[in-house]
Amino acid sequence: MKVIKTFNLASLNIIFATREIARFAIKEALAKKCQVISLKNIKTTSRSFLDELFVMSQKNNISLVDIPAEIESLYAIIKKTHRNQKMYAPMIKVRVSNTVFA
């Protein structure tokens, strides 16, 4: 029986904000010969980080698992973007203010 090694991304204790950090995370997972990256206990991430992590994991045959509810919608948009080769943006609710700051 083949053992699947999992790399826990939260164990890096870094801010998941840039594409470079995503490449570093993939490099660490490959160095430890992991086939799965767990996003468990990740509360926030940038779109560029998650996009690069998705692309690099696809190239290196690494699965992304345990995606928290806080970033699930962003992850779904990124998957849809790459599947359809179209750029999608999340729906957000904003309130326009007429307040002037000087």
Side-chain angles (χ1 to χ4, degrees):
M1 185 173 202
K2 185 177 178 181
V3 177
I4 297 175
K5 291 180 73 177
T6 302
F7 181 71
N8 187 3
L9 198 58
S11 69
L12 291 177
N13 290 324
I14 55 178
I15 298 172
F16 307 108
T18 64
R19 293 185 181 277
E20 289 80 22
I21 297 294
R23 286 187 218 115
F24 171 75
I26 292 290
K27 192 165 81 170
E28 288 293 309
L30 290 172
K32 294 180 180 180
K33 296 183 172 134
C34 296
Q35 299 89 11
V36 175
I37 294 178
S38 172
L39 279 78
K40 189 174 185 177
N41 298 325
I42 304 288
K43 299 288 184 218
T44 61
T45 181
S46 70
R47 181 178 182 145
S48 60
F49 170 83
L50 200 55
D51 184 64
E52 188 71 12
L53 189 70
F54 179 81
V55 169
M56 295 297 289
S57 67
Q58 296 292 312
K59 285 183 182 178
N60 292 292
N61 295 322
I62 298 175
S63 300
L64 299 177
V65 296
D66 300 329
I67 299 167
E70 292 90 355
I71 60 174
E72 177 66 43
S73 60
L74 181 59
Y75 182 72
I77 289 171
I78 289 169
K79 278 176 61 174
K80 186 177 176 183
T81 295
H82 287 284
R83 184 182 62 234
N84 296 343
Q85 295 296 306
K86 257 180 154 175
M87 182 58 86
Y88 293 97
M91 296 283 289
I92 58 171
K93 292 182 181 181
V94 296
R95 184 174 58 92
V96 178
S97 173
N98 60 0
T99 305
V100 177
F101 296 97

